[in-house]
Amino acid sequence: MTPLKTFQNLSEPKQKRITQAAVEEFSEKGFTGASINAIVKNLGIAKGSIFQYFGDKQGLFLFVFNQAMEMVKDYLRTVRDQTEDEELFSRLEKTLLAGVHFLREHPRLYTLYLKVLFESQIPFRNKILASLRSYSHEYLYSLLETAKDRGELRENIDLDKTSFVLDAIMDRFLQAQAIQYLDAGLGLYKTDEENARDWIAGIVDIMRIGIGCEK
Amino acid sequence: MTPLKTFQNLSEPKQKRITQAAVEEFSEKGFTGASINAIVKNLGIAKGSIFQYFGDKQGLFLFVFNQAMEMVKDYLRTVRDQTEDEELFSRLEKTLLAGVHFLREHPRLYTLYLKVLFESQIPFRNKILASLRSYSHEYLYSLLETAKDRGELRENIDLDKTSFVLDAIMDRFLQAQAIQYLDAGLGLYKTDEENARDWIAGIVDIMRIGIGCEK
Amino acid sequence: MTPLKTFQNLSEPKQKRITQAAVEEFSEKGFTGASINAIVKNLGIAKGSIFQYFGDKQGLFLFVFNQAMEMVKDYLRTVRDQTEDEELFSRLEKTLLAGVHFLREHPRLYTLYLKVLFESQIPFRNKILASLRSYSHEYLYSLLETAKDRGELRENIDLDKTSFVLDAIMDRFLQAQAIQYLDAGLGLYKTDEENARDWIAGIVDIMRIGIGCEK
Amino acid sequence: MTPLKTFQNLSEPKQKRITQAAVEEFSEKGFTGASINAIVKNLGIAKGSIFQYFGDKQGLFLFVFNQAMEMVKDYLRTVRDQTEDEELFSRLEKTLLAGVHFLREHPRLYTLYLKVLFESQIPFRNKILASLRSYSHEYLYSLLETAKDRGELRENIDLDKTSFVLDAIMDRFLQAQAIQYLDAGLGLYKTDEENARDWIAGIVDIMRIGIGCEK
DNA sequence: GATGAATGAGATTTCATTCAT
DNA sequence: AATGAATGAAATCTCATTCAT
């Protein structure tokens, strides 16, 4: 997870360049498919350096992945804090919207996550996934708990199942956005902003009726 | 999609052995990660034979994948036909249950599908996915249309968005089952049957309230 | 050189089809480059048959090459016999013209010869070449002897060197024609007929002045 | 045409050893017939190294071939410059002699050229050949022009056809020498020096009478 | 600390040849 | 006589990793 000191001694811009190049390669080709050759050629640095910084391919991957996930968590934390006083479905809506924006700003990071999700040869994949799921579950669960306390949910609702359903819907929505975005070559996205908002509203509506109490 | 004559001329048991070995390898390691070397060593046949049967790696993959998808479609068709007279949410419940059973019987096939979903270097991946999505959409859409005609749905509901939401929830539920099942080493599943039924009931409940009309 | 009885028992059209397919493959890819796989696929017959007919790849090649060379010899014999009474340079001119026509009718055979000339791994290559050279030398030498007896040549001329020079010029001219013809995709040749005649006339002129006596 | 930096960074002796091994293999077996396996085994280096130096087989071939052709051109340039004041036929004689010497010093390079000439699957073969032909044509044409200006040629002679004829004779003579030399196992050549001179004299004589003006 | 040449295992693919049917 | 499935050696090429400079 942690790089050797040799990497931390690098100037910050250089660290960033290396991280970005690695993200790009891993997110496009997965762990086994990624080529350190390609990364160093792209960067114009010596192959040996990567091994000095990170020990081996796995070390590079874990570092890069970890960094990416921290960024996602930061994003979610911000949304949660900034919507503290709002109603549940408004918060869910803004979470989804934030996800779409994150996707647009860091299109590679979501695919990096997808690679981990479905590439079985990735080192520590199980640990990584468990940690992700639990983070995501905690995030939604905390929103739901707050909402329940405020009486925004139907009574007797099972928070675990509900959290699962919401997670499924939202994750799948982002998957669809990501695939659509990547398949379009990372382009012509602007016109889809409105479209995305429309879908989000519709989805949140269904969620509201499904789990919300009637007011 | 179709293998060369030379494969179809083999005895059926031999065809089956080869197909199974290929499914196992592809579903575990994805398309690029899979090794024809490993497959033939596993089978105890000569390397050249695979290429005589399928031309190249891609030919083998497409054949195997196609076969797998036909099996899934058969399964779904059967469920749809056998539940023709039932109410929508009962049909959805049985579809999910059938999915869980399919998973248990053919644990490798679902992961094969997941590999295609998220491995960008797979040949014809886009075509494959488009065809799958449209099949899945049509399946749910037809169930929804029938239900709407029968007055089982809230009025003014958007069938496209609804179909998307249902697809997301159900697909994600199966993903979760698959990952849980595989992570457990394909074992200790029996006790989970009850658990699965419980979850399915809960999920269908949420769906019912979200989109059903109140009776 | 000789095929097994099994080949000679085939119907003549079938023999011809096989021979032609083999010529095509060998003339295009050389001996080592040629693929028996490709030949049988092209023909639609079983791979085993080729080995039953000719024993191995080398057997097929030698048979095919031998046949081709017999055709060339027939062609040359005909020209020699039909021009018996003409003057040397007229005979050379007609020989060249005959060569050009042969090329147009059997474009693959000349390249087959070129492959043998420059592919070192061909079986019996040395024997084959020695036999070819000696045939060609005898052919020209006999024309030159006749011409010398008739007083058409400068006195004291060395017939061996002269034969060599003529052979070089004529062979190279045909090489140039063949390459030009093949590079043009075996097409648009008609308009070049006149051009070829022009070149032949010029070349024969130079030869005449170089070795002929002045009349 | 140019090797990657990684090859140029090698020590010169090592570069030379590799180049020579490659020339040997390609000149003996042609482009497709040559085996990188054989080259590296011969050299005692790792297979991967060749690919690090030249990218792929084609890169190695083009580099090696280009180098060889530069050597030939150097040789020809030297002859032309050193015989500037001499009469045409003396220059042709010396060109042929230089060719024979080049052959003896670099016996593999001429066969390398022959392989290119007649192996249809060589990459860029057409471009390579066109460039060679035009160089050879220019060389002879320039000699002929000079000679014409000096009044050494018959009047009204067609320089293009003449250049073709000379090229044919000389090239074929060298082919014959090369084949004879190689067939003899690169040995027992010394005694042939005199023989070669004799043939050259005879051939040049025929050329002189064929195209020279009578003095 | 940075470099990049060297390595060799392993990947896909082709092919002549054999042999049971 | 004809077939074509089976074979395995050998081809080109990629890649993570090591280590001397």
Side-chain angles (χ1 to χ4, degrees):
Chain A
M1 295 271 227
T2 48
L4 304 184
K5 274 183 227 149
T6 60
F7 180 70
Q8 288 166 332
N9 287 345
L10 295 179
S11 76
E12 202 168 327
K14 187 162 188 183
Q15 286 188 29
K16 209 164 193 171
R17 277 189 63 232
I18 293 174
T19 307
Q20 279 176 341
V23 165
E24 208 156 315
E25 180 75 7
F26 281 125
S27 75
E28 198 169 332
K29 314 222 189 103
F31 175 73
T32 38
S35 156
I36 301 234
N37 277 7
I39 293 173
V40 296
K41 187 189 286 182
N42 194 338
L43 282 169
I45 68 172
K47 210 184 318 190
S49 299
I50 291 291
F51 289 88
Q52 220 148 22
Y53 300 152
F54 301 100
D56 56 11
K57 195 185 186 182
Q58 164 173 330
L60 171 61
F61 176 79
L62 288 177
F63 170 71
V64 151
F65 185 77
N66 213 48
Q67 261 210 344
M69 289 310 115
E70 285 308 321
M71 290 180 65
V72 176
K73 291 182 181 175
D74 279 353
Y75 224 84
L76 285 181
R77 257 192 296 270
T78 306
V79 175
R80 175 159 61 180
D81 295 348
Q82 286 181 347
T83 62
E84 210 169 3
D85 304 325
E86 304 182 22
E87 179 225 13
L88 172 66
F89 299 100
S90 170
R91 298 180 89 178
L92 293 177
E93 193 163 355
K94 286 186 174 154
T95 302
L96 278 174
L97 216 48
V100 171
H101 286 151
F102 187 86
L103 221 63
R104 194 183 318 171
E105 282 179 50
H106 312 286
R108 294 294 173 205
L109 295 190
Y110 195 79
T111 55
L112 184 59
Y113 154 67
L114 294 180
K115 297 294 175 187
V116 172
L117 198 50
F118 297 109
E119 190 179 334
S120 34
Q121 336 259 53
I122 289 185
F124 304 132
R125 176 176 163 276
N126 285 352
K127 275 187 199 163
I128 291 173
L129 281 188
S131 134
L132 277 177
R133 296 260 188 246
S134 100
Y135 183 81
S136 164
H137 184 260
E138 273 168 37
Y139 175 82
L140 286 171
Y141 201 91
S142 76
L143 291 194
L144 285 171
E145 267 186 322
T146 308
K148 190 163 196 181
D149 290 348
R150 293 177 185 163
E152 294 168 18
L153 293 182
R154 280 196 280 121
E155 305 240 328
N156 293 331
I157 205 158
D158 179 329
L159 287 196
D160 275 326
K161 287 196 182 62
T162 305
S163 156
F164 171 84
V165 169
L166 295 186
D167 194 21
I169 297 176
M170 294 166 72
D171 194 24
R172 181 58 127 75
F173 174 73
L174 290 176
Q175 278 183 28
Q177 291 286 318
I179 288 176
Q180 176 183 334
Y181 188 35
L182 292 172
D183 283 358
L186 307 183
L188 40 135
Y189 197 65
K190 278 182 219 154
T191 62
D192 288 344
E193 169 79 21
E194 199 179 348
N195 189 287
R197 284 180 181 280
D198 180 38
W199 270 88
I200 290 176
I203 289 170
V204 170
D205 244 24
I206 294 177
M207 297 195 296
R208 180 188 337 241
I209 299 174
I211 66 175
C213 67
E214 306 169 46
K215 291 190 177 174
Chain B
M1 297 268 223
T2 48
L4 304 182
K5 243 188 289 169
T6 169
F7 179 69
Q8 288 166 328
N9 286 347
L10 296 180
S11 76
E12 203 168 324
K14 187 160 190 183
Q15 287 189 30
K16 209 164 194 170
R17 275 189 65 229
I18 293 173
T19 307
Q20 281 175 342
V23 165
E24 207 156 316
E25 180 74 7
F26 280 125
S27 74
E28 197 170 333
K29 313 220 190 109
F31 176 73
T32 38
S35 156
I36 301 234
N37 275 3
I39 293 174
V40 297
K41 187 186 285 183
N42 189 346
L43 283 170
I45 67 173
K47 214 184 304 195
S49 296
I50 290 291
F51 292 89
Q52 209 152 34
Y53 302 152
F54 300 99
D56 55 12
K57 194 186 186 182
Q58 167 173 328
L60 172 60
F61 176 79
L62 288 178
F63 169 70
V64 151
F65 184 78
N66 211 50
Q67 259 208 348
M69 289 308 115
E70 284 309 320
M71 290 179 64
V72 175
K73 289 183 181 175
D74 279 353
Y75 225 86
L76 285 180
R77 258 193 295 270
T78 306
V79 174
R80 175 158 61 180
D81 294 348
Q82 286 182 348
T83 62
E84 210 169 3
D85 304 326
E86 304 183 21
E87 178 225 13
L88 172 66
F89 299 100
S90 169
R91 298 180 90 178
L92 293 177
E93 191 164 356
K94 286 187 174 154
T95 302
L96 278 174
L97 214 49
V100 171
H101 284 152
F102 187 85
L103 222 62
R104 194 183 318 170
E105 281 179 49
H106 313 286
R108 294 294 175 201
L109 295 192
Y110 195 79
T111 54
L112 184 59
Y113 154 67
L114 294 180
K115 297 295 174 185
V116 171
L117 197 52
F118 295 109
E119 189 179 334
S120 35
Q121 341 254 44
I122 289 186
F124 303 132
R125 176 176 163 276
N126 284 353
K127 273 188 200 162
I128 291 173
L129 281 187
S131 136
L132 278 178
R133 296 257 190 249
S134 100
Y135 184 82
S136 162
H137 182 77
E138 273 169 38
Y139 176 82
L140 286 172
Y141 201 91
S142 76
L143 292 193
L144 286 170
E145 267 186 321
T146 306
K148 190 164 197 183
D149 290 346
R150 293 177 184 162
E152 295 168 17
L153 294 183
R154 279 197 279 122
E155 305 238 330
N156 294 332
I157 204 157
D158 179 330
L159 287 196
D160 274 325
K161 287 197 183 61
T162 306
S163 156
F164 171 85
V165 169
L166 294 186
D167 195 20
I169 298 176
M170 293 167 74
D171 194 24
R172 180 59 127 73
F173 174 73
L174 290 176
Q175 277 184 27
Q177 292 286 318
I179 288 176
Q180 175 184 334
Y181 187 36
L182 292 171
D183 283 356
L186 307 184
L188 42 132
Y189 197 65
K190 277 181 220 156
T191 61
D192 288 343
E193 168 79 20
E194 199 180 348
N195 188 288
R197 284 182 180 278
D198 180 38
W199 270 87
I200 290 177
I203 290 170
V204 171
D205 245 22
I206 295 176
M207 297 194 296
R208 178 184 338 222
I209 298 174
I211 66 175
C213 67
E214 307 171 45
K215 291 192 175 172
Chain C
M1 295 269 225
T2 47
L4 304 184
K5 274 183 228 150
T6 61
F7 180 69
Q8 288 166 330
N9 287 346
L10 296 179
S11 76
E12 203 169 324
K14 186 162 188 184
Q15 287 188 28
K16 209 164 193 170
R17 276 189 64 233
I18 293 174
T19 307
Q20 280 176 342
V23 164
E24 210 156 312
E25 180 75 6
F26 281 125
S27 75
E28 198 170 330
K29 313 222 190 103
F31 176 74
T32 38
S35 156
I36 300 234
N37 276 8
I39 293 174
V40 296
K41 187 189 287 182
N42 194 338
L43 283 170
I45 68 172
K47 212 186 314 193
S49 298
I50 292 290
F51 290 88
Q52 220 148 22
Y53 301 152
F54 301 100
D56 57 11
K57 196 185 186 183
Q58 164 173 329
L60 172 61
F61 175 79
L62 288 178
F63 170 70
V64 152
F65 184 77
N66 212 50
Q67 262 209 343
M69 289 309 115
E70 284 309 320
M71 290 180 65
V72 176
K73 289 182 181 176
D74 278 354
Y75 224 85
L76 284 180
R77 258 193 295 272
T78 306
V79 174
R80 175 158 62 181
D81 294 348
Q82 285 181 348
T83 61
E84 210 169 2
D85 303 326
E86 304 182 21
E87 180 223 12
L88 173 65
F89 299 101
S90 169
R91 299 180 88 177
L92 293 177
E93 193 163 356
K94 286 186 174 154
T95 301
L96 277 174
L97 216 49
V100 171
H101 286 152
F102 187 86
L103 221 63
R104 194 183 317 170
E105 283 179 48
H106 311 286
R108 295 294 174 205
L109 295 191
Y110 195 80
T111 54
L112 184 59
Y113 153 68
L114 293 180
K115 297 293 176 188
V116 172
L117 197 52
F118 296 109
E119 189 179 335
S120 34
Q121 335 258 55
I122 290 185
F124 304 131
R125 177 176 162 275
N126 285 352
K127 274 189 198 163
I128 291 173
L129 281 187
S131 135
L132 277 177
R133 295 261 188 247
S134 101
Y135 183 82
S136 164
H137 184 260
E138 271 169 37
Y139 175 83
L140 286 171
Y141 200 90
S142 76
L143 292 194
L144 285 171
E145 264 186 324
T146 307
K148 189 163 197 183
D149 290 348
R150 293 178 183 161
E152 294 168 18
L153 294 182
R154 280 197 280 120
E155 305 238 330
N156 294 333
I157 205 158
D158 178 331
L159 287 196
D160 274 326
K161 288 195 182 61
T162 306
S163 156
F164 171 85
V165 169
L166 295 186
D167 194 21
I169 297 175
M170 294 167 72
D171 193 24
R172 181 59 127 74
F173 174 74
L174 290 175
Q175 278 183 28
Q177 292 286 318
I179 288 176
Q180 176 184 333
Y181 187 36
L182 291 171
D183 283 358
L186 306 183
L188 42 132
Y189 196 65
K190 277 183 220 153
T191 63
D192 289 343
E193 169 79 20
E194 199 179 348
N195 189 287
R197 284 179 181 281
D198 180 37
W199 270 88
I200 290 177
I203 289 169
V204 171
D205 245 23
I206 293 177
M207 297 195 296
R208 172 172 321 148
I209 299 173
I211 65 175
C213 66
E214 307 170 45
K215 290 193 178 172
Chain D
M1 296 268 223
T2 47
L4 305 181
K5 244 188 289 170
T6 167
F7 179 69
Q8 288 166 330
N9 285 348
L10 296 180
S11 76
E12 203 168 326
K14 186 159 191 183
Q15 287 188 30
K16 210 164 194 171
R17 275 189 65 230
I18 293 173
T19 308
Q20 280 175 343
V23 165
E24 208 156 315
E25 181 74 6
F26 280 125
S27 74
E28 197 170 331
K29 313 220 189 108
F31 176 73
T32 38
S35 156
I36 301 232
N37 274 3
I39 293 175
V40 296
K41 187 187 287 184
N42 189 345
L43 282 169
I45 67 173
K47 213 184 307 194
S49 297
I50 290 290
F51 292 91
Q52 208 152 36
Y53 302 152
F54 300 100
D56 56 11
K57 194 186 185 182
Q58 167 173 328
L60 172 60
F61 176 78
L62 288 178
F63 170 70
V64 152
F65 185 77
N66 211 50
Q67 260 209 345
M69 289 307 116
E70 284 309 320
M71 291 179 65
V72 174
K73 288 182 181 175
D74 279 352
Y75 225 85
L76 285 181
R77 259 192 293 270
T78 305
V79 174
R80 175 159 61 180
D81 294 348
Q82 285 181 348
T83 61
E84 211 169 4
D85 304 325
E86 303 183 23
E87 180 227 11
L88 172 66
F89 299 100
S90 168
R91 297 179 89 178
L92 292 177
E93 193 164 354
K94 286 187 174 154
T95 302
L96 278 174
L97 215 49
V100 171
H101 285 152
F102 187 86
L103 221 63
R104 195 182 317 170
E105 281 179 49
H106 312 285
R108 294 293 176 203
L109 296 191
Y110 195 78
T111 53
L112 184 59
Y113 154 67
L114 294 180
K115 297 294 175 186
V116 172
L117 197 52
F118 295 108
E119 190 179 334
S120 34
Q121 341 254 42
I122 290 185
F124 303 133
R125 177 176 161 276
N126 284 353
K127 272 187 201 164
I128 290 174
L129 282 188
S131 135
L132 278 178
R133 297 257 189 248
S134 100
Y135 184 82
S136 162
H137 182 76
E138 272 169 39
Y139 176 81
L140 286 172
Y141 201 91
S142 76
L143 290 194
L144 285 170
E145 268 185 322
T146 307
K148 191 164 196 181
D149 290 347
R150 293 178 184 160
E152 293 167 18
L153 294 183
R154 279 196 280 122
E155 306 238 329
N156 294 333
I157 205 158
D158 178 329
L159 287 196
D160 274 325
K161 287 195 183 62
T162 306
S163 157
F164 171 85
V165 169
L166 294 186
D167 195 19
I169 297 176
M170 293 167 73
D171 194 24
R172 181 59 126 75
F173 174 74
L174 289 176
Q175 278 183 27
Q177 292 285 319
I179 288 175
Q180 176 184 333
Y181 187 36
L182 291 171
D183 284 356
L186 307 183
L188 40 135
Y189 197 65
K190 277 181 218 156
T191 60
D192 288 344
E193 168 79 20
E194 199 179 348
N195 188 289
R197 284 182 181 279
D198 180 37
W199 270 89
I200 290 176
I203 290 170
V204 171
D205 243 23
I206 293 177
M207 298 195 295
R208 181 189 336 247
I209 298 173
I211 66 175
C213 69
E214 307 169 46
K215 291 193 178 174

